[in-house]
Amino acid sequence: QVQLVESGGGLVQPGGSLRLSCAASITDFSIRSMAWYRQAPGNERELVASISRSGRPTYADSVKGRFTISRNNAKKTVVLEMNSLKPEDTAVYYCNTADSLRNYWGQGTQVTVSS
């Protein structure tokens, strides 16, 4: 059984920072790729960043240089550090992993960037 629980969202001014965390209840966490997605109202869910089991990160062009994804296999957590936030980063952010059967999602955490 896979459970993902996000935390750390909130309201921040443009240019500010937030740190999102995902706690995973997964027995094989260390061999899974993990990812963060986001979905703004009226938009499709989009990939923000992912990290391979070896720790190699990839980023959407829109967040490169501003966001950093990392993982701690001992704690089974994935963190998304978000800096220089923009109003267009406003969305619900979801933690994700997948296997051959399906995608797994957390409940999401709201990030609002507004003055």
Side-chain angles (χ1 to χ4, degrees):
Q1 186 176 359
V2 175
Q3 276 193 313
L4 304 171
V5 179
E6 303 96 337
S7 60
L11 172 64
V12 64
Q13 293 187 342
S17 300
L18 280 176
R19 183 178 186 271
L20 305 184
S21 183
C22 172
S25 298
I26 314 174
T27 55
D28 57 353
F29 178 87
S30 65
I31 65 170
R32 285 178 174 266
S33 292
M34 302 295 297
W36 285 95
Y37 283 73
R38 67 186 181 188
Q39 187 168 20
N43 290 359
E44 293 187 354
R45 196 168 294 188
E46 63 174 356
L47 177 64
V48 175
S50 64
I51 187 165
S52 71
R53 60 184 184 180
S54 65
R56 179 180 176 183
T58 59
Y59 300 97
D61 287 343
S62 58
V63 306
K64 279 181 182 176
R66 301 188 297 122
F67 291 12
T68 302
I69 189 171
S70 60
R71 66 188 296 160
N72 185 318
N73 287 341
K75 295 182 178 180
K76 297 185 179 182
T77 57
V78 183
V79 169
L80 186 68
E81 299 274 3
M82 305 186 296
N83 298 311
S84 302
L85 283 161
K86 305 175 181 179
E88 52 262 43
D89 294 317
T90 296
V92 178
Y93 284 70
Y94 296 92
C95 185
N96 165 270
T97 190
D99 58 27
S100 59
L101 297 176
R102 53 169 285 190
N103 272 294
Y104 300 89
W105 302 96
Q107 82 286 354
T109 186
Q110 176 70 46
V111 171
T112 302
V113 185
S114 175
S115 55

